[in-house]
Amino acid sequence: MSSHFQLLKTDTGTAARRGRLQTLHGPIETPIFMPVGTQGTVKSLTPAQIKETGAQIILGNTYHLNLRPGSELVRDLGGLHQFMGWDGPILTDSGGFQVFSLAKLRDIRDDGIAFSSHLDGSKLFLGPREVMTIQANLGSDIAMVIDECPPWPCTREACRDAVDRSYRWAQQCKQIATDNGFLAGGHHVFAIAQGSTFDDLRREAAESLAALDFPGYAVGGVSVGEPEPEMLKQVGATTPFMPADKPRYTMGLGTPPQILKMIALGVDMFDCVHPTRVARNGAAFTPDGLINLRNERYRADPAPLVEGLDNYTCRKFTRAYLRHLVMANEILACTLLTLHNLHFYLDLMAQARAHIEAGDFGPWHRAWVERFEAGEA
Ligand code: GUN
């Protein structure tokens, strides 16, 4: 049994787990959703407002923060927590994945990824040493290894190469984090299992990384364009081969139903830009699906977004007022809808934890998903 992660309960009807992960900035109750703060800010919210949503941990990004303002500057100003005024845990992604989606002219080599910055075209390189140094400079509570996420669909050969390269990079990241005292200092490093749609490669990735004894494990390479059943199959092909006594994280997911289905597969941690991004587009989550406030039917609607949901937006404002802010392009719309959407996600996680504890997670999550999906426009 590892000391930093306590498995408090495992569901009997599903593979759902209730756990507690200790970090340098306090404990995290799992399952948990992590709001995304790519550039050292959860867009449109102050750290006090992030706390108010019920967030226990947020995400930052190596790729972005290293390009601007630079990880050494953040280190010299006291680390990312102090720099951005957030005193809770922070997980940082390693940057490789963002290179694939943002940078131009990238070249994957055995020692890392060479690329041109999407900001000014300057030539840069990220390998195991670079990403572990940057994440140490940021003072990340949970650092991710650098990995190669193959596109979907991809050939078995390309996937084989990505799994092998990701394994070697994970090994090197662990060694670097051991040598520089990052792990001994109480920071965590999570490995990432790739494998695309190939069940045997997913299993092999999970098992070989498990043998390296990381503090936690992630499923990578999901939600990269594949249909949802395929995505669930990939997660289901990976989690059974991850150590039961370590936290498990699927990267970049998902909608509320997807998250509940992944919890049922034994996943503990999630992050996604979805709730914050759709908020900035004028959409809000309800138990009956996502509603778009641009719709004329909310013009004079006196109801809150969700009756009885205890967040500032729902306590104080009508759908009609929120729609007015969206239609008038007022920046307060972003803040109020982001606050609501994140609270909705985090409240859902609190409900999931309570139902795992109560032993009825299976039927509860199926009914929740059915209602949400029936209501979707
Ligand atoms: N974010 C979403 N998917 C991935 C992935 O496969 N790898 C990394 N590093 N980050 C991700």
Side-chain angles (χ1 to χ4, degrees):
M1 191 71 190
S2 58
S3 58
H4 64 286
F5 185 66
Q6 268 175 285
L7 196 53
L8 304 172
K9 179 154 189 196
T10 304
D11 193 36
T12 45
T14 72
R17 298 130 55 88
R18 170 78 181 90
R20 183 171 300 135
L21 171 62
Q22 301 292 342
T23 76
L24 288 174
H25 287 83
I28 299 160
E29 303 297 328
T30 65
I32 192 60
F33 177 79
M34 306 181 280
V36 179
T38 293
Q39 313 246 31
T41 162
V42 174
K43 293 188 197 306
S44 86
L45 296 191
T46 65
Q49 290 169 325
I50 302 171
K51 271 265 152 71
E52 216 182 296
T53 67
Q56 300 181 46
I57 169 172
I58 60 171
L59 224 82
N61 254 305
T62 297
Y63 174 84
H64 297 79
L65 293 169
N66 192 49
L67 289 185
R68 178 179 59 193
S71 74
E72 284 156 9
L73 180 143
V74 174
R75 177 198 62 199
D76 294 346
L77 291 173
L80 185 57
H81 295 81
Q82 183 154 342
F83 189 57
M84 68 176 291
W86 168 259
D87 60 9
I90 298 177
L91 179 149
T92 48
D93 198 358
S94 53
F97 183 78
Q98 286 71 32
V99 170
F100 291 106
S101 52
L102 290 172
K104 297 183 203 96
L105 303 169
R106 50 187 192 260
D107 180 22
I108 306 168
R109 313 189 317 221
D110 277 342
D111 57 344
I113 310 167
F115 61 99
S116 301
S117 157
H118 76 289
L119 295 178
D120 62 7
S122 59
K123 300 229 174 311
L124 297 162
F125 177 81
L126 286 178
R129 185 157 303 283
E130 287 75 17
V131 305
M132 294 318 290
T133 304
I134 296 164
Q135 292 179 99
N137 287 343
L138 296 174
S140 177
D141 296 279
I142 304 174
M144 302 303 299
V145 300
I146 183 170
D147 58 327
E148 181 186 344
C149 175
W152 179 86
C154 76
T155 63
R156 186 177 170 87
E157 218 177 359
C159 184
R160 169 89 263 162
D161 284 350
V163 166
D164 290 348
R165 195 173 281 121
S166 297
Y167 175 78
R168 289 194 300 272
W169 287 350
Q171 226 174 1
Q172 290 165 27
C173 285
K174 174 111 191 284
Q175 192 60 52
I176 292 162
T178 304
D179 294 345
N180 69 9
F182 189 78
L183 283 165
H187 301 266
H188 303 316
V189 179
F190 283 16
I192 306 172
Q194 294 291 342
S196 189
T197 53
F198 304 97
D199 288 9
D200 59 326
L201 295 184
R202 287 249 167 224
R203 175 176 182 161
E204 182 193 311
E207 288 181 337
S208 60
L209 291 168
L212 297 179
D213 193 25
F214 276 87
Y217 291 90
V219 183
V222 280
S223 201
V224 288
E226 76 282 14
E228 186 180 298
E230 178 61 50
M231 179 174 87
L232 290 164
K233 182 176 98 52
Q234 290 174 37
V235 175
T238 313
T239 48
F241 308 106
M242 289 175 158
D245 63 347
K246 302 284 178 65
R248 303 167 180 164
Y249 161 33
T250 43
M251 308 191 76
L253 284 176
T255 64
Q258 285 169 350
I259 290 180
L260 292 180
K261 291 174 197 175
M262 303 268 166
I263 290 175
L265 293 173
V267 181
D268 310 303
M269 301 165 71
F270 304 88
D271 81 282
C272 192
V273 295
H274 188 54
T276 41
R277 182 172 286 166
V278 300
R280 297 195 299 281
N281 288 326
F285 284 96
T286 81
D288 296 298
L290 191 62
I291 64 171
N292 189 337
L293 289 163
R294 290 178 193 277
N295 194 312
E296 169 72 17
R297 70 179 196 260
Y298 304 117
R299 199 180 61 82
D301 190 338
L305 287 174
V306 179
E307 199 71 59
L309 191 63
D310 192 16
N311 67 53
Y312 180 67
T313 306
C314 290
R315 281 195 306 272
K316 298 288 279 194
F317 305 102
T318 60
R319 292 178 172 193
Y321 176 67
L322 295 167
R323 175 177 196 275
H324 157 69
L325 293 181
V326 170
M327 299 309 284
N329 263 331
E330 283 293 337
I331 54 177
L332 184 58
C334 293
T335 298
L336 293 178
L337 293 180
T338 300
L339 213 147
H340 167 79
N341 283 354
L342 285 180
H343 176 253
F344 183 89
Y345 263 62
L346 289 154
D347 179 71
L348 183 62
M349 295 299 103
Q351 290 182 57
R353 291 193 297 272
H355 284 285
I356 296 169
E357 280 167 15
D360 65 350
F361 179 79
W364 170 77
H365 96 282
R366 281 189 290 275
W368 198 98
V369 169
E370 195 176 320
R371 176 177 170 189
F372 185 88
E373 288 179 344
E376 263 174 321

